[in-house]
């Protein structure tokens, strides 16, 4: 298959190679099941194979075949919960194949194409609409964070200790304090960065590709604070932290702490290290 370059990382593990081997069959089966006319894959995909799809009635959609990780397991449930309010609509779902058919955004321009402060204006308008009370089947942030605390030291050691011990110790301590002291639990998204908000015609901007949890509001802005899409620099990270917390009425210290903990937890995937994530942690600890 002509896979996007962003999916090259999955070839590096046995589960990834097994998933790649299933894709041609599942793609053909989904196209037949939903009578889809498919276009070439979107090149910017990183955690799923996504293709433009046209339904027999002319509806424009996107077919997604997800990499079977735990973070995106409840994407369909989150889209159902939001029901098109600030996020793309779910049109169909095949849980066995981890396949989703979702609304296609037109023109589909990513939010990071806007100047950084205009993009933050969009996010301060969108986020309160997404903070809906939720429980099952979504994983609680407390449970997810307990997993990070358990795995981080082992992954750090397994890949050759790619960052300083002090970063690991600080992240573990912050997460241990944050988990039991959370505020009201709402639906939050671990991956709500400026590449996962697209210009659309039904609404000006719609969220795509959620990795949902239930947790406090402070956690929901972490991907926007750390994400390189709006500028990867100490000043850019701190500016996003300051603006989002002030305008959304969030506790800045807790947002900073969640950003340190979650960003370091996501700095290693399988045996791949993401240096830009580690840089963000250093900037927030030292700044």
């Amino acid at each position: 298959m002509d896979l996007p370059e962003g999916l090259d990382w999955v070839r590096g593990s046995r589960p990834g190679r097994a998933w790649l081997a299933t894709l041609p069959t599942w793609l053909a089966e989904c196209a037949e099941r939903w009578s889809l006319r498919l276009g070439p894959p979107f090149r910017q995909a990183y955690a799923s194979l996504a293709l433009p799809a046209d339904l027999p009635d002319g509806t424009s959609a996107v077919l997604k075949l997800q990499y079977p990780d735990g973070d995106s397991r409840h994407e369909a449930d989150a889209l159902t919960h939001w029901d098109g309010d600030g996020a793309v609509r779910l049109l169909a779902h095949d849980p066995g194949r981890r396949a989703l058919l979702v609304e296609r955004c037109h023109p589909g321009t990513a939010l990071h194409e806007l100047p950084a402060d205009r993009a933050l204006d969009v996010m301060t308008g969108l986020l309160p609409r997404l903070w809906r009370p939720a429980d099952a089947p979504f994983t609680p942030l407390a449970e997810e964070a307990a997993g990070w605390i358990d795995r981080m030291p082992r992954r750090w050691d397994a890949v050759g200790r790619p960052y300083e011990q002090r970063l690991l110790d600080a992240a573990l301590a912050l997460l241990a304090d944050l988990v039991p002291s959370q505020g009201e639990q709402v639906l939050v998204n671990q991956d709500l960065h400026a590449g996962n908000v697209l210009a659309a015609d039904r609404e000006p901007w719609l969220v795509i590709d959620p990795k949902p949890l239930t947790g406090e509001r402070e956690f929901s802005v972490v991907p926007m604070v750390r994400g390189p899409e709006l500028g990867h620099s100490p000043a850019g990270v701190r500016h996003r932290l300051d603006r989002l917390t002030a305008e959304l009425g969030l506790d800045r210290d807790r947002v900073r702490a969640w950003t340190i903990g979650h960003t370091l937890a996501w700095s290693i995937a399988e045996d791949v290290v993401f240096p830009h994530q580690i840089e963000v942690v250093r900037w927030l600890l030292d700044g």
Side-chain angles (χ1 to χ4, degrees):
M1 295 182 66
D2 178 24
L3 290 175
E5 293 77 7
L7 285 173
D8 284 347
W9 67 274
V10 302
R11 304 179 195 275
S13 69
R14 184 176 300 173
R17 291 189 293 273
W19 177 68
L20 290 176
T22 68
L23 283 182
T25 299
W26 286 359
L27 190 62
E29 291 171 348
C30 289
E32 180 178 4
R33 174 179 178 180
W34 292 319
S35 302
L36 304 176
R37 187 173 72 254
L38 298 174
F42 292 109
R43 306 312 301 177
Q44 62 269 37
Y46 182 80
S48 63
L49 181 67
L51 309 94
D54 292 313
L55 279 67
D57 65 0
T59 299
S60 296
V62 172
L63 173 64
K64 289 185 59 180
L65 292 169
Q66 297 174 321
Y67 181 76
D69 61 6
D71 294 331
S72 59
R73 184 171 66 251
H74 293 300
E75 176 176 344
D77 298 302
L79 295 178
T80 299
H81 198 69
W82 287 319
D83 193 25
D85 186 6
V88 293
R89 288 196 172 109
L90 179 69
L91 306 178
H93 181 215
D94 183 336
R97 295 179 178 85
R98 293 290 292 264
L100 290 79
L101 194 65
V102 301
E103 171 185 10
R104 195 190 315 174
C105 295
H106 295 285
T109 309
L111 183 63
H112 59 69
E113 295 296 328
L114 292 182
D117 276 314
R118 286 182 56 199
L120 294 177
D121 291 340
V122 171
M123 291 310 304
T124 57
L126 269 179
L127 273 165
R129 298 168 59 193
L130 303 175
W131 289 334
R132 296 189 175 191
D135 41 45
F138 303 108
T139 302
L141 175 56
E143 180 181 322
E144 191 76 2
W148 304 332
I149 291 169
D150 176 63
R151 293 188 297 271
M152 283 166 66
R154 290 186 282 107
R155 287 184 173 177
W156 176 72
D157 198 53
V159 298
R161 302 186 174 189
Y163 52 80
E164 310 93 280
Q165 174 88 47
R166 71 179 183 96
L167 304 188
L168 178 63
D169 292 344
L172 294 174
L174 289 169
L175 288 171
D177 288 340
L178 288 165
V179 167
S181 58
Q182 292 183 73
E184 181 187 8
Q185 301 289 284
V186 297
L187 190 58
V188 296
N189 179 357
Q190 296 192 74
D191 206 25
L192 185 51
H193 57 73
N196 279 341
V197 182
L198 303 183
D201 45 16
R202 182 172 61 82
E203 289 196 23
W205 299 94
L206 292 172
V207 170
I208 65 168
D209 298 346
K211 291 179 170 54
L213 300 169
T214 51
E216 66 175 355
R217 290 169 174 82
E218 278 73 9
F219 179 78
S220 66
V221 300
V222 165
M224 290 296 299
V225 171
R226 72 152 178 259
E229 295 81 10
L230 296 181
H232 184 64
S233 69
V237 167
R238 294 182 191 118
H239 177 67
R240 295 192 293 273
L241 173 64
D242 291 340
R243 266 209 65 189
L244 290 168
T245 54
E247 294 182 23
L248 290 167
L250 302 175
D251 185 312
R252 185 187 186 280
D253 289 340
R254 293 187 69 84
V255 173
R256 173 184 172 273
W258 278 121
T259 305
I260 291 167
H262 188 247
T263 302
L264 202 65
W266 274 30
S267 70
I268 302 171
E270 304 287 348
D271 58 352
V272 179
V273 178
F274 300 100
H276 68 282
Q277 305 273 51
I278 298 168
E279 286 182 321
V280 169
V281 174
R282 288 196 189 103
W283 295 337
L284 288 175
L285 281 174
D286 298 339

